[in-house]
Structures are given as C-alpha cells and as structure tokens.
Amino acid sequence: MNEKGSKCIGVCKADRHGRITKLQREFWGQGWIFKDWNAFQKHRDSPCYVPELSDIVYTGNDFMDLCDRQEEIAACLFCEVDCQSPTALRHEWEINREVCTCDQCGKMFLSYDVHQCPHCGCSITE
Ligand SMILES: [Zn+2]
C-alpha cells in the first residue's frame, strides 16, 4: 500500500461475467472488504469493491451507473464506501440529502452547501 494511487485492500478476481473466481477480504474502515483504488481509477470494468456482507463484485462502471454516470459523484461514493454496499450508501446520501436530483434538469449532484444546480443553474429550494 502506498500514497500514489496503487492502494488495494484484499484480492478479488472475477471472470468476465462478474462471477468471483478468487476473493480475499482485508479489514479496512469498518469491516472486511475488498477495495481497489487503482482498478476504480483505471479499469472501469474490473472488480474494484466487494462489501462485507455480500459476495457481490462492483466495478467502476457500477459506481458510475449508481451516480448518474458522473465521475465526481462516483469517485466520492467509491472513497466513502467502507463496508456497506455502494447502493446502500447512495441511498443513505439521498436520505441525508447529501445528493439531490434536480427538479428542473433531472440530474444528480452533490448537494452539501450547494444552492444552485451545477448542471442547469436553477436555484434549489428546500
Ligand atoms: Zn438542474
């Protein structure tokens, strides 16, 4: 593990159908998971995350799909996920209003301390 982006927790290999062929979790954050920063950044169709309680492999593309194909939000979700599924974390964000979907343009955005939609510029009313 180093600081230059090649950080990886555990080992996970999957075949091209997304089935796990090898999985070794390591303890990180709050649980036993697999998380590969390099794969997330550079290989969007490779395994980059496996949550603690289910053997579901997530790829960078899965994170992108959960985040309206928006790089910034997907990167944020990948950073913060630490043992739950990214779907659960994204849902938590919605409940806590950390992400919103704009009423006007229908796009998702990170809403912490934001008063205007970054996509269409309309103001956000609580
Ligand atoms: Zn908008």
Side-chain angles (χ1 to χ4, degrees):
M1 212 195 292
N2 64 37
E3 297 299 308
K4 293 206 169 64
S6 58
K7 199 157 113 175
C8 183
I9 306 292
V11 180
C12 179
K13 304 246 181 278
D15 64 19
R16 58 196 180 85
H17 306 291
R19 283 187 293 249
I20 294 173
T21 52
K22 181 178 180 179
L23 179 62
Q24 210 178 306
R25 289 179 169 91
E26 268 178 54
F27 191 81
W28 186 80
Q30 312 211 46
W32 289 86
I33 58 165
F34 162 77
K35 189 169 179 175
D36 185 341
W37 280 255
N38 193 50
F40 175 75
Q41 277 153 9
K42 298 192 179 120
H43 309 283
R44 283 285 152 89
D45 48 8
S46 304
C48 68
Y49 184 72
V50 178
E52 181 171 35
L53 298 174
S54 63
D55 284 355
I56 299 172
V57 175
Y58 292 88
T59 65
N61 283 326
D62 294 329
F63 278 83
M64 288 292 279
D65 286 344
L66 280 170
C67 296
D68 210 10
R69 311 294 303 166
Q70 294 185 54
E71 187 74 42
E72 190 198 357
I73 305 176
C76 206
L77 187 68
F78 181 75
C79 269
E80 284 195 21
V81 77
D82 62 6
C83 71
Q84 70 280 69
S85 79
T87 316
L89 180 59
R90 214 208 65 150
H91 188 63
E92 225 172 85
W93 279 7
E94 263 169 34
I95 291 167
N96 299 333
R97 297 187 67 82
E98 287 178 51
V99 288
C100 283
T101 302
C102 177
D103 289 339
Q104 296 299 315
C105 68
K107 288 188 178 165
M108 192 194 288
F109 57 93
L110 295 168
S111 47
Y112 179 74
D113 215 18
V114 167
H115 305 289
Q116 268 191 333
C117 169
H119 302 289
C120 70
C122 72
S123 46
I124 292 148
T125 45
E126 287 295 322

